[in-house]
């Protein structure tokens, strides 16, 4: 008997005419790992909220069909009882915290469910040992890193020992180290505890190999329900939905279609790919045989920097020193990526470019003029900033008004405002949303609205803090292609991101920050070649880079690759002799 049975499930929210879920029929068996993927706004989070009881007990609407979990009808079972069976870890762990200390937070749910003191102590000791939280137990939750907060959220849920664990994009807001820790714990739960797991996640390179089955959901319907190999072996539908298979799968499919590897061979990981490739007779090549795109634009010695930072220090009122002597130049037309762990000073640095923060020491100049000399309105015409949390930027009642707000304040003619708004709507795939309230949209859609509101200002410098947060691959690709086009037209683009595939493919210069300092600054290819340095700061290169480095370690003279296209070109040359 399945642990979860979903029968003819349809659901729409109050105030909305259209159903978010449409006649869903699915099941989950004990110990199964289900990965849910699909475009933003397709109904993924709504579906898991129907399983854990948030719908209909907290969020109401019009619901049809049945959801049965461990023999209990979700509609008829109080949510406190559902919490014993289904544990949920949300995208933002702070939305589910109720206590000040880590210990109190882990104990909170058990206290409310009236567990005995002895059983609580036993479960707390078990979960902190399993998740390695011994050193955090007495700390305040508010002082933890993003990854640590997510681990505490997992611990508080796992302590209840539910039969099903749901993770709704748990790594979205985490730096590489935090994401690594959380995904390792999820893998451990799958391997050792025998719990059923449902995971919503966009990072397919990491999580697809863990899944027993993948549900592909779009427009409220289940498009595909199958094993990872079956889902990805003919990925046409995946691409149509704006999704992207794991990079190793993409490389393998290209080689398979060219007849260079066997049709049955579809690895999901770098290790699996290396096991397969070593069965073939690979020929010797030279890295000089490959010419890939230049790593950064040419800067003439006579060029003046667009942004000039000298000996910049910043100390917050609570005493935290966030920047420690930063000096750098950014030139017109550069595409720069700033990466590093959470708390390394990335957002603090770019906040100085906008005048949102004042230096404790040192200075920032834009166009040769100290930022302190600009008014806010003057800077807004030069520098556009897209926050990681789109809700901080949305305050109008309709999407149209949100996009028109900035240009209107610039005093532009009505026709020019309309032209800019329509252009931004098209760029960010927002046509048809003009009269929708921004906060009624999904997070991915809200993020696109925030981006569009900045694009209507035509800034000379565009800074994006985690531009792909909560976005599916199709939306990410369109967004980054747009930034690239703007960059090619002469605008300077600066992005802060934890997405190394994005950094590798789009940016030409990488700055790694650690503890308020610049650890290294250079061309993207050169930075990703330094695997030992990246490992020290828990930054993992994208799979194409990992694959090329593994080939180099095995004695092949290949260049460091940044993208699927590049590593495919290299491996195709290596395999040519065998065919």
């Amino acid at each position: 008997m399945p642990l979860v049975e979903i029968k003819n499930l349809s659901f729409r929210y109050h105030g909305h005419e259209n159903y978010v879920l449409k006649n869903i029929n699915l099941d989950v068996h004990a110990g199964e790992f289900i990965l849910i993927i699909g475009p933003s706004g397709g109904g993924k989070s709504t579906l898991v909220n129907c399983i854990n009881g948030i719908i209909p007990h907290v969020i109401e609407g019009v619901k049809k069909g049945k959801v049965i979990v461990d023999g209990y009808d979700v509609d008829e079972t109080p949510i406190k009882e559902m919490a014993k069976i289904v544990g949920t870890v949300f995208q933002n762990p702070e939305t589910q915290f109720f206590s000040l200390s880590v210990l109190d937070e882990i104990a909170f749910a058990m206290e409310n469910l009236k567990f005995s003191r002895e059983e609580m102590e036993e479960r707390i000791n078990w979960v902190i040992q399993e998740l390695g939280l011994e050193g955090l137990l007495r700390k305040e939750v508010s002082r933890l890193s993003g990854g640590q907060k997510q681990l505490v959220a997992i611990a508080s849920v796992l302590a209840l020992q539910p039969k099903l664990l749901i993770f709704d994009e748990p790594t979205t807001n985490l730096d590489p180290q935090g994401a690594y820790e959380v995904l390792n714990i999820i893998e451990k739960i799958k391997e050792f505890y025998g719990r059923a797991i449902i995971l919503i996640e966009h990072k397919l390179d990491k999580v697809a190999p863990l899944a027993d089955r993948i549900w592909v959901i779009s427009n409220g319907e289940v498009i595909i329900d199958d094993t990872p190999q079956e889902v990805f072996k003919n990925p046409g539908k995946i691409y149509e939905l704006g999704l992207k298979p794991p990079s190793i799968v993409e490389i393998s499919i290209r080689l398979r279609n060219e007849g260079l590897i066997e049709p049955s061979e579809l690895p999901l990981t770098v290790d699996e790919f290396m096991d397969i490739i070593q069965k073939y007779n690979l020929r010797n090549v030279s890295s000089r045989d490959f010419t890939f795109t230049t790593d950064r634009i040419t800067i003439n010695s006579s060029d003046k920097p667009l942004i000039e930072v000298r000996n910049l220090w910043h100390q917050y009122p609570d005493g935290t020193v966030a920047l420690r002597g930063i000096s750098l130049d950014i030139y017109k037309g550069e595409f720069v990526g700033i990466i590093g762990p959470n708390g390394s000073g990335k957002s603090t640095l770019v906040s100085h470019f906008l005048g949102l923060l004042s230096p404790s020491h040192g200075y920032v100049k834009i166009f040769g003029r100290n930022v302190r000399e600009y008014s806010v309105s003057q800077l807004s015409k030069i520098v556009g900033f897209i926050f990681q949390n789109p809700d901080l930027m949305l305050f109008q009642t309709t999407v149209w008004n949100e996009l028109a707000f900035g240009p209107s304040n610039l005093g532009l003619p009505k026709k020019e405002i309309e032209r800019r708004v329509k252009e931004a709507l098209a760029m960010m795939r927002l046509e048809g949303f003009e009269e929708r309230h921004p906060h009624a949209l999904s997070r991915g859609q809200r993020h696109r609205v925030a981006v569009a509101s900045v694009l209507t200002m035509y800034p000379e410098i565009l800074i994006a803090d985690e531009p792909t947060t909560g976005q599916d691959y199709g939306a990410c690709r369109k967004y980054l292609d747009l930034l690239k086009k703007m960059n090619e037209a002469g605008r300077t683009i600066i992005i802060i991101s934890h997405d190394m595939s994005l950094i590798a493919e789009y940016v030409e210069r990488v700055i790694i920050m650690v503890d308020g300092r610049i650890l290294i600054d250079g061309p993207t290819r050169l930075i990703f070649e330094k695997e030992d340095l990246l490992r020290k700061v828990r930054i993992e290169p994208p799979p194409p880079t990992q694959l090329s480095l593994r080939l180099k370690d095995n004695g092949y003279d290949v260049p460091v690759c940044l993208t699927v296209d590049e590593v495919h070109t290299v491996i195709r040359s290596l395999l040519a002799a065998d065919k």
Side-chain angles (χ1 to χ4, degrees):
M1 179 179 176
L3 177 64
V4 179
E5 296 178 86
I6 303 172
K7 303 176 181 178
N8 304 317
L9 175 65
S10 296
F11 181 80
R12 66 176 172 86
Y13 294 99
H14 283 317
H16 294 265
E17 294 182 2
N18 297 326
Y19 278 84
V20 181
L21 300 176
K22 305 169 186 175
N23 198 35
I24 303 288
N25 288 277
L26 294 166
D27 57 52
V28 181
H29 292 269
E32 220 176 4
F33 192 123
I34 304 294
L35 172 62
I36 304 181
I37 64 175
S40 296
K44 303 184 295 294
S45 294
T46 302
L47 175 59
V48 296
N49 283 338
C50 288
I51 295 172
N52 60 25
I54 289 179
I55 296 175
H57 298 296
V58 177
I59 300 173
E60 297 181 348
V62 178
K63 182 181 177 185
K64 300 177 182 178
K66 289 283 186 183
V67 179
I68 308 297
V69 179
D70 198 30
Y72 294 91
D73 187 326
V74 171
D75 290 357
E76 299 173 2
T77 307
I79 198 163
K80 68 175 184 178
E81 297 300 323
M82 289 301 306
K84 299 176 184 177
I85 307 168
V86 183
T88 305
V89 177
F90 296 99
Q91 187 178 107
N92 181 0
E94 294 182 5
T95 62
Q96 62 190 98
F97 287 157
F98 293 90
S99 306
L100 296 178
S101 76
V102 170
L103 176 60
D104 289 343
E105 184 59 42
I106 296 173
F108 180 82
M110 291 186 285
E111 288 175 330
N112 279 271
L113 294 172
K114 298 181 180 179
F115 282 53
S116 68
R117 178 174 294 275
E118 293 76 16
E119 188 169 8
M120 279 197 295
E121 289 179 353
E122 181 181 335
R123 292 195 181 199
I124 289 171
N125 289 333
W126 170 74
V127 79
I128 63 172
Q129 289 175 9
E130 292 298 321
L131 272 60
L133 299 178
E134 293 91 340
L136 302 180
L137 206 56
R138 302 295 173 182
K139 289 192 174 184
E140 292 182 22
V141 172
S142 62
R143 295 188 176 274
L144 302 181
S145 69
Q148 290 170 332
K149 287 178 181 177
Q150 199 63 285
L151 291 180
V152 171
I154 293 172
S156 65
V157 167
L158 194 58
L160 296 177
Q161 298 183 2
K163 295 184 178 181
L164 170 64
L165 285 160
I166 293 175
F167 298 90
D168 190 350
E169 297 193 47
T171 68
T172 292
N173 298 318
L174 302 184
D175 62 13
Q177 180 172 344
Y180 174 86
E181 292 169 349
V182 169
L183 291 176
N184 272 2
I185 289 298
I186 292 174
E187 186 172 5
K188 186 176 182 180
I189 292 170
K190 167 186 166 63
E191 187 173 351
F192 296 110
Y193 305 143
R195 302 289 192 272
I197 295 173
I198 297 177
L199 170 66
I200 301 175
E201 184 58 77
H202 290 302
K203 296 182 176 74
L204 299 190
D205 286 314
K206 284 286 190 183
V207 300
L210 303 178
D212 297 308
R213 280 192 293 153
I214 296 178
W215 296 346
V216 183
I217 296 178
S218 177
N219 195 28
E221 298 179 304
V222 178
I223 307 299
I224 305 172
D225 172 14
D226 219 323
T227 64
Q229 284 76 11
E230 289 299 315
V231 169
F232 295 129
K233 75 176 183 181
N234 294 303
K237 191 65 179 178
I238 299 298
Y239 287 119
E240 284 178 21
L241 294 172
L243 306 177
K244 178 182 177 293
S247 298
I248 298 300
V249 170
E250 289 191 289
I251 297 162
S252 303
I253 287 173
R254 293 186 188 188
L255 297 173
R256 182 194 69 185
N257 292 343
E258 293 165 344
L260 295 174
I261 64 173
E262 295 298 323
S264 61
E265 295 173 332
L266 191 66
L268 297 175
T269 67
V270 171
D271 287 342
E272 291 175 359
F273 188 94
M274 289 300 297
D275 289 342
I276 289 173
I277 201 91
Q278 288 170 352
K279 296 188 302 185
Y280 293 88
N281 179 28
L282 304 182
R283 73 183 183 96
N284 290 322
V285 297
S286 170
S287 58
R288 294 188 298 273
D289 297 337
F290 303 94
T291 303
F292 296 134
T293 55
T294 182
D295 290 303
R296 68 182 295 179
I297 64 173
T298 302
I299 305 297
N300 297 321
S301 58
S302 60
D303 289 346
K304 292 184 178 180
L306 185 63
I307 301 174
E308 181 183 343
V309 183
R310 290 294 179 271
N311 196 26
L312 181 64
W313 289 72
H314 185 82
Q315 182 173 350
Y316 285 100
D318 66 358
T320 301
V321 180
L323 298 178
R324 302 170 183 269
I326 298 289
S327 293
L328 64 89
D329 293 326
I330 296 175
Y331 291 84
K332 179 177 174 60
E334 282 199 287
F335 200 138
V336 180
I338 304 177
I339 64 177
N342 285 344
S344 59
K346 304 183 297 295
S347 296
T348 301
L349 174 61
V350 299
S351 293
H352 283 78
F353 300 169
L354 293 130
L356 298 177
L357 294 173
S358 295
S360 301
H361 184 74
Y363 66 82
V364 176
K365 290 183 178 180
I366 295 180
F367 285 115
R369 183 180 175 188
N370 196 305
V371 168
R372 289 180 171 182
E373 299 173 7
Y374 287 96
S375 67
V376 173
S377 62
Q378 288 173 326
L379 269 177
S380 69
K381 299 175 186 177
I382 302 171
V383 185
F385 188 74
I386 303 162
F387 289 89
Q388 180 177 351
N389 181 355
D391 295 339
L392 297 175
M393 302 176 62
L394 306 177
F395 51 87
Q396 295 291 311
T397 56
T398 68
V399 169
W400 180 277
N401 290 344
E402 198 70 63
L403 272 57
F405 180 82
S408 298
N409 280 298
L410 294 179
L412 296 176
K414 184 177 179 181
K415 284 188 177 180
E416 175 62 13
I417 294 171
E418 289 181 357
R419 188 191 69 79
R420 290 191 181 194
V421 170
K422 289 179 180 178
E423 180 183 59
L425 286 167
M427 286 179 176
M428 298 311 298
R429 297 189 302 162
L430 289 168
E431 292 107 329
F433 290 83
E434 291 87 345
E435 299 306 316
R436 295 280 298 276
H437 196 295
H439 289 284
L441 305 178
S442 71
R443 181 185 173 90
Q445 291 164 343
R446 297 198 306 276
H447 202 273
R448 299 211 301 271
V449 173
V451 174
S453 70
V454 172
L455 296 180
T456 59
M457 297 291 287
Y458 281 27
E460 183 68 28
I461 303 166
L462 184 62
I463 302 171
D465 191 353
E466 292 296 341
T468 61
T469 296
Q471 301 278 9
D472 59 66
Y473 174 74
C476 291
R477 189 85 190 186
K478 285 182 178 292
Y479 180 14
L480 270 298
D481 285 347
L482 172 62
L483 294 184
K484 184 177 181 181
K485 186 180 293 185
M486 294 172 67
N487 178 246
E488 291 169 347
R491 286 190 172 87
T492 302
I493 309 295
I494 302 169
I495 61 174
I496 298 172
S497 182
H498 297 315
D499 187 332
M500 295 303 110
S501 293
L502 176 159
I503 293 290
E505 184 166 358
Y506 285 93
V507 312
E508 57 199 20
R509 173 184 172 190
V510 171
I511 299 169
I512 300 181
M513 294 188 65
V514 177
D515 296 328
R517 295 183 172 91
I518 293 177
L519 177 66
I520 191 169
D521 175 0
T524 305
R525 199 178 306 275
L526 180 62
I527 297 298
F528 279 127
E529 186 176 22
K530 299 181 182 299
E531 198 171 16
D532 290 341
L533 181 144
L534 296 177
R535 192 177 294 114
K536 288 178 182 178
V537 291
R538 302 293 286 271
I539 292 175
E540 189 174 68
T545 305
Q546 293 178 47
L547 192 51
S548 63
L549 291 172
R550 287 285 293 277
L551 289 167
K552 288 173 75 71
D553 290 343
N554 279 268
Y556 295 98
D557 182 18
V558 300
V560 174
C561 300
L562 298 178
T563 67
V564 167
D565 287 344
E566 290 181 358
V567 78
H568 166 245
T569 299
V570 167
I571 294 172
R572 184 173 56 191
S573 296
L574 288 170
L575 285 167
D578 196 66
K579 299 296 177 181

